[in-house]
PDB file of all heavy atoms in Angstrom:
ATOM      1  N   THR A  17      -5.951 -22.246  22.710  1.00  0.00           N
ATOM      2  CA  THR A  17      -5.264 -23.154  21.795  1.00  0.00           C
ATOM      3  C   THR A  17      -3.793 -22.765  21.655  1.00  0.00           C
ATOM      4  O   THR A  17      -3.465 -21.595  21.464  1.00  0.00           O
ATOM      5  CB  THR A  17      -5.938 -23.134  20.410  1.00  0.00           C
ATOM      6  OG1 THR A  17      -7.269 -23.613  20.539  1.00  0.00           O
ATOM      7  CG2 THR A  17      -5.180 -24.003  19.419  1.00  0.00           C
ATOM      8  N   THR A  18      -2.929 -23.758  21.712  1.00  0.00           N
ATOM      9  CA  THR A  18      -1.513 -23.532  21.418  1.00  0.00           C
ATOM     10  C   THR A  18      -1.332 -23.563  19.901  1.00  0.00           C
ATOM     11  O   THR A  18      -1.681 -24.553  19.250  1.00  0.00           O
ATOM     12  CB  THR A  18      -0.635 -24.617  22.063  1.00  0.00           C
ATOM     13  OG1 THR A  18      -0.739 -24.504  23.480  1.00  0.00           O
ATOM     14  CG2 THR A  18       0.817 -24.458  21.646  1.00  0.00           C
ATOM     15  N   ILE A  19      -0.827 -22.454  19.354  1.00  0.00           N
ATOM     16  CA  ILE A  19      -0.567 -22.382  17.918  1.00  0.00           C
ATOM     17  C   ILE A  19       0.910 -22.070  17.711  1.00  0.00           C
ATOM     18  O   ILE A  19       1.450 -21.151  18.333  1.00  0.00           O
ATOM     19  CB  ILE A  19      -1.400 -21.290  17.224  1.00  0.00           C
ATOM     20  CG1 ILE A  19      -2.890 -21.553  17.377  1.00  0.00           C
ATOM     21  CG2 ILE A  19      -1.062 -21.222  15.737  1.00  0.00           C
ATOM     22  CD1 ILE A  19      -3.759 -20.519  16.692  1.00  0.00           C
ATOM     23  N   ASN A  20       1.528 -22.831  16.867  1.00  0.00           N
ATOM     24  CA  ASN A  20       2.878 -22.504  16.432  1.00  0.00           C
ATOM     25  C   ASN A  20       2.894 -22.395  14.917  1.00  0.00           C
ATOM     26  O   ASN A  20       2.158 -23.098  14.213  1.00  0.00           O
ATOM     27  CB  ASN A  20       3.876 -23.568  16.894  1.00  0.00           C
ATOM     28  CG  ASN A  20       4.280 -23.360  18.342  1.00  0.00           C
ATOM     29  OD1 ASN A  20       4.905 -22.356  18.683  1.00  0.00           O
ATOM     30  ND2 ASN A  20       3.891 -24.301  19.208  1.00  0.00           N
ATOM     31  N   TYR A  21       3.737 -21.502  14.443  1.00  0.00           N
ATOM     32  CA  TYR A  21       3.859 -21.302  12.994  1.00  0.00           C
ATOM     33  C   TYR A  21       5.322 -21.141  12.619  1.00  0.00           C
ATOM     34  O   TYR A  21       6.060 -20.376  13.257  1.00  0.00           O
ATOM     35  CB  TYR A  21       3.087 -20.061  12.530  1.00  0.00           C
ATOM     36  CG  TYR A  21       3.604 -19.537  11.201  1.00  0.00           C
ATOM     37  CD1 TYR A  21       3.333 -20.222  10.017  1.00  0.00           C
ATOM     38  CD2 TYR A  21       4.401 -18.399  11.141  1.00  0.00           C
ATOM     39  CE1 TYR A  21       3.844 -19.774   8.801  1.00  0.00           C
ATOM     40  CE2 TYR A  21       4.902 -17.943   9.934  1.00  0.00           C
ATOM     41  CZ  TYR A  21       4.630 -18.628   8.771  1.00  0.00           C
ATOM     42  OH  TYR A  21       5.142 -18.191   7.577  1.00  0.00           O
ATOM     43  N   LYS A  22       5.725 -21.856  11.607  1.00  0.00           N
ATOM     44  CA  LYS A  22       6.999 -21.622  10.930  1.00  0.00           C
ATOM     45  C   LYS A  22       6.781 -21.900   9.448  1.00  0.00           C
ATOM     46  O   LYS A  22       6.102 -22.863   9.082  1.00  0.00           O
ATOM     47  CB  LYS A  22       8.110 -22.525  11.471  1.00  0.00           C
ATOM     48  CG  LYS A  22       8.609 -22.162  12.859  1.00  0.00           C
ATOM     49  CD  LYS A  22       9.814 -23.000  13.245  1.00  0.00           C
ATOM     50  CE  LYS A  22      10.326 -22.581  14.621  1.00  0.00           C
ATOM     51  NZ  LYS A  22       9.394 -22.952  15.696  1.00  0.00           N
ATOM     52  N   SER A  23       7.372 -21.068   8.617  1.00  0.00           N
ATOM     53  CA  SER A  23       7.245 -21.279   7.176  1.00  0.00           C
ATOM     54  C   SER A  23       7.746 -22.666   6.800  1.00  0.00           C
ATOM     55  O   SER A  23       7.148 -23.352   5.972  1.00  0.00           O
ATOM     56  CB  SER A  23       8.028 -20.208   6.410  1.00  0.00           C
ATOM     57  OG  SER A  23       7.972 -20.450   5.024  1.00  0.00           O
ATOM     58  N   GLY A  24       8.857 -23.091   7.397  1.00  0.00           N
ATOM     59  CA  GLY A  24       9.327 -24.461   7.241  1.00  0.00           C
ATOM     60  C   GLY A  24      10.085 -24.754   5.966  1.00  0.00           C
ATOM     61  O   GLY A  24      11.054 -25.506   5.966  1.00  0.00           O
ATOM     62  N   VAL A  25       9.647 -24.158   4.864  1.00  0.00           N
ATOM     63  CA  VAL A  25      10.246 -24.462   3.573  1.00  0.00           C
ATOM     64  C   VAL A  25      10.131 -23.234   2.679  1.00  0.00           C
ATOM     65  O   VAL A  25       9.179 -22.447   2.782  1.00  0.00           O
ATOM     66  CB  VAL A  25       9.542 -25.687   2.935  1.00  0.00           C
ATOM     67  CG1 VAL A  25       8.086 -25.387   2.629  1.00  0.00           C
ATOM     68  CG2 VAL A  25      10.261 -26.169   1.690  1.00  0.00           C
ATOM     69  N   LEU A  26      11.113 -23.033   1.818  1.00  0.00           N
ATOM     70  CA  LEU A  26      11.064 -21.938   0.851  1.00  0.00           C
ATOM     71  C   LEU A  26      10.040 -22.256  -0.238  1.00  0.00           C
ATOM     72  O   LEU A  26       9.731 -23.429  -0.485  1.00  0.00           O
ATOM     73  CB  LEU A  26      12.445 -21.713   0.237  1.00  0.00           C
ATOM     74  CG  LEU A  26      13.527 -21.211   1.205  1.00  0.00           C
ATOM     75  CD1 LEU A  26      14.901 -21.220   0.533  1.00  0.00           C
ATOM     76  CD2 LEU A  26      13.188 -19.812   1.695  1.00  0.00           C
ATOM     77  N   PRO A  27       9.539 -21.242  -0.913  1.00  0.00           N
ATOM     78  CA  PRO A  27       8.472 -21.514  -1.890  1.00  0.00           C
ATOM     79  C   PRO A  27       8.883 -22.423  -3.043  1.00  0.00           C
ATOM     80  O   PRO A  27       8.163 -23.366  -3.374  1.00  0.00           O
ATOM     81  CB  PRO A  27       8.087 -20.127  -2.398  1.00  0.00           C
ATOM     82  CG  PRO A  27       8.547 -19.173  -1.349  1.00  0.00           C
ATOM     83  CD  PRO A  27       9.755 -19.794  -0.729  1.00  0.00           C
ATOM     84  N   TYR A  28      10.033 -22.168  -3.658  1.00  0.00           N
ATOM     85  CA  TYR A  28      10.345 -22.838  -4.918  1.00  0.00           C
ATOM     86  C   TYR A  28      11.738 -23.461  -4.979  1.00  0.00           C
ATOM     87  O   TYR A  28      12.176 -23.867  -6.045  1.00  0.00           O
ATOM     88  CB  TYR A  28      10.185 -21.849  -6.088  1.00  0.00           C
ATOM     89  CG  TYR A  28       8.877 -21.109  -6.072  1.00  0.00           C
ATOM     90  CD1 TYR A  28       8.839 -19.717  -6.064  1.00  0.00           C
ATOM     91  CD2 TYR A  28       7.676 -21.797  -6.052  1.00  0.00           C
ATOM     92  CE1 TYR A  28       7.629 -19.030  -6.041  1.00  0.00           C
ATOM     93  CE2 TYR A  28       6.461 -21.122  -6.023  1.00  0.00           C
ATOM     94  CZ  TYR A  28       6.448 -19.741  -6.017  1.00  0.00           C
ATOM     95  OH  TYR A  28       5.254 -19.066  -5.988  1.00  0.00           O
ATOM     96  N   GLN A  29      12.434 -23.525  -3.850  1.00  0.00           N
ATOM     97  CA  GLN A  29      13.765 -24.111  -3.865  1.00  0.00           C
ATOM     98  C   GLN A  29      14.059 -24.739  -2.517  1.00  0.00           C
ATOM     99  O   GLN A  29      13.380 -24.470  -1.526  1.00  0.00           O
ATOM    100  CB  GLN A  29      14.818 -23.043  -4.164  1.00  0.00           C
ATOM    101  CG  GLN A  29      14.941 -21.987  -3.068  1.00  0.00           C
ATOM    102  CD  GLN A  29      15.884 -20.871  -3.441  1.00  0.00           C
ATOM    103  OE1 GLN A  29      15.566 -20.037  -4.292  1.00  0.00           O
ATOM    104  NE2 GLN A  29      17.048 -20.856  -2.810  1.00  0.00           N
ATOM    105  N   LYS A  30      15.074 -25.626  -2.487  1.00  0.00           N
ATOM    106  CA  LYS A  30      15.463 -26.256  -1.240  1.00  0.00           C
ATOM    107  C   LYS A  30      15.922 -25.213  -0.242  1.00  0.00           C
ATOM    108  O   LYS A  30      16.482 -24.178  -0.610  1.00  0.00           O
ATOM    109  CB  LYS A  30      16.588 -27.259  -1.492  1.00  0.00           C
ATOM    110  CG  LYS A  30      16.159 -28.517  -2.229  1.00  0.00           C
ATOM    111  CD  LYS A  30      17.324 -29.485  -2.359  1.00  0.00           C
ATOM    112  CE  LYS A  30      16.901 -30.767  -3.062  1.00  0.00           C
ATOM    113  NZ  LYS A  30      18.045 -31.708  -3.183  1.00  0.00           N
ATOM    114  N   ASN A  31      15.692 -25.496   1.022  1.00  0.00           N
ATOM    115  CA  ASN A  31      16.165 -24.589   2.060  1.00  0.00           C
ATOM    116  C   ASN A  31      17.681 -24.483   2.015  1.00  0.00           C
ATOM    117  O   ASN A  31      18.386 -25.490   1.883  1.00  0.00           O
ATOM    118  CB  ASN A  31      15.738 -25.092   3.442  1.00  0.00           C
ATOM    119  CG  ASN A  31      14.243 -24.999   3.662  1.00  0.00           C
ATOM    120  OD1 ASN A  31      13.506 -24.518   2.803  1.00  0.00           O
ATOM    121  ND2 ASN A  31      13.784 -25.465   4.804  1.00  0.00           N
ATOM    122  N   VAL A  32      18.179 -23.273   2.141  1.00  0.00           N
ATOM    123  CA  VAL A  32      19.624 -23.061   2.178  1.00  0.00           C
ATOM    124  C   VAL A  32      20.188 -23.563   3.506  1.00  0.00           C
ATOM    125  O   VAL A  32      21.226 -24.216   3.559  1.00  0.00           O
ATOM    126  CB  VAL A  32      19.951 -21.567   1.967  1.00  0.00           C
ATOM    127  CG1 VAL A  32      21.462 -21.337   2.052  1.00  0.00           C
ATOM    128  CG2 VAL A  32      19.400 -21.085   0.625  1.00  0.00           C
ATOM    129  N   ASN A  33      19.473 -23.277   4.580  1.00  0.00           N
ATOM    130  CA  ASN A  33      19.849 -23.745   5.912  1.00  0.00           C
ATOM    131  C   ASN A  33      19.267 -25.141   6.124  1.00  0.00           C
ATOM    132  O   ASN A  33      18.049 -25.326   6.099  1.00  0.00           O
ATOM    133  CB  ASN A  33      19.304 -22.777   6.961  1.00  0.00           C
ATOM    134  CG  ASN A  33      19.721 -23.116   8.375  1.00  0.00           C
ATOM    135  OD1 ASN A  33      20.123 -24.239   8.657  1.00  0.00           O
ATOM    136  ND2 ASN A  33      19.608 -22.148   9.270  1.00  0.00           N
ATOM    137  N   PRO A  34      20.092 -26.153   6.354  1.00  0.00           N
ATOM    138  CA  PRO A  34      19.586 -27.531   6.461  1.00  0.00           C
ATOM    139  C   PRO A  34      18.931 -27.860   7.789  1.00  0.00           C
ATOM    140  O   PRO A  34      18.317 -28.922   7.927  1.00  0.00           O
ATOM    141  CB  PRO A  34      20.852 -28.364   6.270  1.00  0.00           C
ATOM    142  CG  PRO A  34      21.943 -27.510   6.825  1.00  0.00           C
ATOM    143  CD  PRO A  34      21.566 -26.087   6.459  1.00  0.00           C
ATOM    144  N   ILE A  35      19.016 -26.982   8.779  1.00  0.00           N
ATOM    145  CA  ILE A  35      18.447 -27.279  10.092  1.00  0.00           C
ATOM    146  C   ILE A  35      16.915 -27.272  10.009  1.00  0.00           C
ATOM    147  O   ILE A  35      16.309 -26.316   9.527  1.00  0.00           O
ATOM    148  CB  ILE A  35      18.926 -26.257  11.142  1.00  0.00           C
ATOM    149  CG1 ILE A  35      20.461 -26.300  11.266  1.00  0.00           C
ATOM    150  CG2 ILE A  35      18.276 -26.536  12.492  1.00  0.00           C
ATOM    151  CD1 ILE A  35      21.016 -25.206  12.158  1.00  0.00           C
ATOM    152  N   ASP A  36      16.305 -28.325  10.504  1.00  0.00           N
ATOM    153  CA  ASP A  36      14.851 -28.477  10.418  1.00  0.00           C
ATOM    154  C   ASP A  36      14.233 -28.396  11.807  1.00  0.00           C
ATOM    155  O   ASP A  36      14.322 -29.337  12.605  1.00  0.00           O
ATOM    156  CB  ASP A  36      14.514 -29.819   9.768  1.00  0.00           C
ATOM    157  CG  ASP A  36      13.019 -30.089   9.716  1.00  0.00           C
ATOM    158  OD1 ASP A  36      12.236 -29.172  10.019  1.00  0.00           O
ATOM    159  OD2 ASP A  36      12.632 -31.222   9.382  1.00  0.00           O
ATOM    160  N   TRP A  37      13.594 -27.271  12.103  1.00  0.00           N
ATOM    161  CA  TRP A  37      12.899 -27.087  13.376  1.00  0.00           C
ATOM    162  C   TRP A  37      11.378 -27.191  13.202  1.00  0.00           C
ATOM    163  O   TRP A  37      10.622 -26.782  14.075  1.00  0.00           O
ATOM    164  CB  TRP A  37      13.244 -25.711  13.973  1.00  0.00           C
ATOM    165  CG  TRP A  37      14.590 -25.658  14.627  1.00  0.00           C
ATOM    166  CD1 TRP A  37      15.508 -26.656  14.708  1.00  0.00           C
ATOM    167  CD2 TRP A  37      15.153 -24.527  15.306  1.00  0.00           C
ATOM    168  NE1 TRP A  37      16.617 -26.231  15.390  1.00  0.00           N
ATOM    169  CE2 TRP A  37      16.430 -24.927  15.770  1.00  0.00           C
ATOM    170  CE3 TRP A  37      14.716 -23.222  15.556  1.00  0.00           C
ATOM    171  CZ2 TRP A  37      17.265 -24.072  16.473  1.00  0.00           C
ATOM    172  CZ3 TRP A  37      15.543 -22.368  16.259  1.00  0.00           C
ATOM    173  CH2 TRP A  37      16.808 -22.787  16.723  1.00  0.00           C
ATOM    174  N   THR A  38      10.950 -27.699  12.065  1.00  0.00           N
ATOM    175  CA  THR A  38       9.525 -27.633  11.745  1.00  0.00           C
ATOM    176  C   THR A  38       8.831 -28.984  11.676  1.00  0.00           C
ATOM    177  O   THR A  38       7.793 -29.189  12.315  1.00  0.00           O
ATOM    178  CB  THR A  38       9.308 -26.889  10.409  1.00  0.00           C
ATOM    179  OG1 THR A  38       9.862 -25.590  10.506  1.00  0.00           O
ATOM    180  CG2 THR A  38       7.835 -26.792  10.068  1.00  0.00           C
ATOM    181  N   THR A  39       9.368 -29.904  10.884  1.00  0.00           N
ATOM    182  CA  THR A  39       8.587 -31.103  10.559  1.00  0.00           C
ATOM    183  C   THR A  39       8.263 -31.954  11.776  1.00  0.00           C
ATOM    184  O   THR A  39       7.179 -32.539  11.870  1.00  0.00           O
ATOM    185  CB  THR A  39       9.304 -31.953   9.494  1.00  0.00           C
ATOM    186  OG1 THR A  39      10.638 -32.247   9.938  1.00  0.00           O
ATOM    187  CG2 THR A  39       9.368 -31.212   8.169  1.00  0.00           C
ATOM    188  N   GLY A  40       9.200 -32.018  12.745  1.00  0.00           N
ATOM    189  CA  GLY A  40       8.925 -32.796  13.954  1.00  0.00           C
ATOM    190  C   GLY A  40       7.798 -32.201  14.766  1.00  0.00           C
ATOM    191  O   GLY A  40       6.899 -32.920  15.233  1.00  0.00           O
ATOM    192  N   GLU A  41       7.848 -30.871  14.953  1.00  0.00           N
ATOM    193  CA  GLU A  41       6.777 -30.197  15.704  1.00  0.00           C
ATOM    194  C   GLU A  41       5.445 -30.333  14.989  1.00  0.00           C
ATOM    195  O   GLU A  41       4.390 -30.551  15.613  1.00  0.00           O
ATOM    196  CB  GLU A  41       7.127 -28.718  15.875  1.00  0.00           C
ATOM    197  CG  GLU A  41       8.232 -28.415  16.860  1.00  0.00           C
ATOM    198  CD  GLU A  41       8.388 -26.918  17.042  1.00  0.00           C
ATOM    199  OE1 GLU A  41       7.467 -26.281  17.585  1.00  0.00           O
ATOM    200  OE2 GLU A  41       9.419 -26.387  16.631  1.00  0.00           O
ATOM    201  N   ALA A  42       5.477 -30.166  13.658  1.00  0.00           N
ATOM    202  CA  ALA A  42       4.252 -30.253  12.872  1.00  0.00           C
ATOM    203  C   ALA A  42       3.611 -31.621  13.021  1.00  0.00           C
ATOM    204  O   ALA A  42       2.390 -31.753  13.140  1.00  0.00           O
ATOM    205  CB  ALA A  42       4.544 -29.948  11.407  1.00  0.00           C
ATOM    206  N   ALA A  43       4.430 -32.659  13.010  1.00  0.00           N
ATOM    207  CA  ALA A  43       3.914 -34.025  13.065  1.00  0.00           C
ATOM    208  C   ALA A  43       3.387 -34.394  14.438  1.00  0.00           C
ATOM    209  O   ALA A  43       2.563 -35.312  14.568  1.00  0.00           O
ATOM    210  CB  ALA A  43       5.011 -34.999  12.641  1.00  0.00           C
ATOM    211  N   SER A  44       3.824 -33.693  15.483  1.00  0.00           N
ATOM    212  CA  SER A  44       3.411 -34.061  16.846  1.00  0.00           C
ATOM    213  C   SER A  44       2.225 -33.255  17.359  1.00  0.00           C
ATOM    214  O   SER A  44       1.657 -33.581  18.398  1.00  0.00           O
ATOM    215  CB  SER A  44       4.594 -33.883  17.803  1.00  0.00           C
ATOM    216  OG  SER A  44       4.993 -32.521  17.865  1.00  0.00           O
ATOM    217  N   ALA A  45       1.848 -32.208  16.649  1.00  0.00           N
ATOM    218  CA  ALA A  45       0.694 -31.408  17.070  1.00  0.00           C
ATOM    219  C   ALA A  45      -0.593 -32.198  16.864  1.00  0.00           C
ATOM    220  O   ALA A  45      -0.625 -33.202  16.149  1.00  0.00           O
ATOM    221  CB  ALA A  45       0.649 -30.108  16.272  1.00  0.00           C
ATOM    222  N   ASP A  46      -1.677 -31.741  17.490  1.00  0.00           N
ATOM    223  CA  ASP A  46      -2.967 -32.417  17.318  1.00  0.00           C
ATOM    224  C   ASP A  46      -3.423 -32.388  15.863  1.00  0.00           C
ATOM    225  O   ASP A  46      -4.158 -33.274  15.416  1.00  0.00           O
ATOM    226  CB  ASP A  46      -4.020 -31.763  18.204  1.00  0.00           C
ATOM    227  CG  ASP A  46      -3.747 -32.012  19.681  1.00  0.00           C
ATOM    228  OD1 ASP A  46      -3.040 -32.988  20.004  1.00  0.00           O
ATOM    229  OD2 ASP A  46      -4.226 -31.222  20.517  1.00  0.00           O
ATOM    230  N   ALA A  47      -3.026 -31.361  15.142  1.00  0.00           N
ATOM    231  CA  ALA A  47      -3.275 -31.275  13.703  1.00  0.00           C
ATOM    232  C   ALA A  47      -2.279 -30.295  13.116  1.00  0.00           C
ATOM    233  O   ALA A  47      -1.836 -29.353  13.784  1.00  0.00           O
ATOM    234  CB  ALA A  47      -4.704 -30.833  13.410  1.00  0.00           C
ATOM    235  N   CYS A  48      -1.948 -30.525  11.857  1.00  0.00           N
ATOM    236  CA  CYS A  48      -1.059 -29.609  11.141  1.00  0.00           C
ATOM    237  C   CYS A  48      -1.766 -29.123   9.879  1.00  0.00           C
ATOM    238  O   CYS A  48      -2.304 -29.923   9.105  1.00  0.00           O
ATOM    239  CB  CYS A  48       0.249 -30.304  10.760  1.00  0.00           C
ATOM    240  SG  CYS A  48       1.312 -29.315   9.680  1.00  0.00           S
ATOM    241  N   ILE A  49      -1.765 -27.821   9.718  1.00  0.00           N
ATOM    242  CA  ILE A  49      -2.266 -27.219   8.478  1.00  0.00           C
ATOM    243  C   ILE A  49      -1.058 -26.751   7.688  1.00  0.00           C
ATOM    244  O   ILE A  49      -0.351 -25.826   8.109  1.00  0.00           O
ATOM    245  CB  ILE A  49      -3.219 -26.047   8.767  1.00  0.00           C
ATOM    246  CG1 ILE A  49      -4.422 -26.522   9.587  1.00  0.00           C
ATOM    247  CG2 ILE A  49      -3.680 -25.403   7.458  1.00  0.00           C
ATOM    248  CD1 ILE A  49      -5.323 -25.382  10.061  1.00  0.00           C
ATOM    249  N   ALA A  50      -0.802 -27.390   6.567  1.00  0.00           N
ATOM    250  CA  ALA A  50       0.330 -27.039   5.709  1.00  0.00           C
ATOM    251  C   ALA A  50      -0.197 -26.246   4.518  1.00  0.00           C
ATOM    252  O   ALA A  50      -0.957 -26.779   3.699  1.00  0.00           O
ATOM    253  CB  ALA A  50       1.057 -28.293   5.235  1.00  0.00           C
ATOM    254  N   VAL A  51       0.189 -24.978   4.447  1.00  0.00           N
ATOM    255  CA  VAL A  51      -0.324 -24.089   3.401  1.00  0.00           C
ATOM    256  C   VAL A  51       0.747 -23.959   2.320  1.00  0.00           C
ATOM    257  O   VAL A  51       1.728 -23.232   2.471  1.00  0.00           O
ATOM    258  CB  VAL A  51      -0.708 -22.712   3.976  1.00  0.00           C
ATOM    259  CG1 VAL A  51      -1.468 -21.908   2.932  1.00  0.00           C
ATOM    260  CG2 VAL A  51      -1.546 -22.868   5.237  1.00  0.00           C
ATOM    261  N   MET A  52       0.545 -24.679   1.244  1.00  0.00           N
ATOM    262  CA  MET A  52       1.525 -24.791   0.167  1.00  0.00           C
ATOM    263  C   MET A  52       0.965 -24.178  -1.114  1.00  0.00           C
ATOM    264  O   MET A  52      -0.105 -23.588  -1.123  1.00  0.00           O
ATOM    265  CB  MET A  52       1.881 -26.259  -0.046  1.00  0.00           C
ATOM    266  CG  MET A  52       2.417 -26.952   1.194  1.00  0.00           C
ATOM    267  SD  MET A  52       4.053 -26.329   1.625  1.00  0.00           S
ATOM    268  CE  MET A  52       4.350 -27.246   3.133  1.00  0.00           C
ATOM    269  N   GLY A  53       1.697 -24.353  -2.207  1.00  0.00           N
ATOM    270  CA  GLY A  53       1.183 -23.915  -3.493  1.00  0.00           C
ATOM    271  C   GLY A  53       2.094 -22.939  -4.183  1.00  0.00           C
ATOM    272  O   GLY A  53       3.300 -22.857  -3.908  1.00  0.00           O
TER     273      GLY A  53
END
């Protein structure tokens, strides 16, 4: 299985760095598990 992981987002505040290398990859995978909370 191809697995990729990136935190993608800070826990409680907006990302300081605006570059997004996560959401596109997450949306194109066969499934995305987003672990939030």
Side-chain angles (χ1 to χ4, degrees):
T17 297
T18 295
I19 299 181
N20 279 295
Y21 158 73
K22 288 187 178 69
S23 177
V25 64
L26 294 172
Y28 310 124
Q29 66 186 72
K30 289 183 178 180
N31 291 358
V32 178
N33 184 341
I35 300 173
D36 177 9
W37 282 2
T38 302
T39 54
E41 287 186 67
S44 63
D46 292 338
C48 172
I49 300 173
V51 190
M52 303 291 177

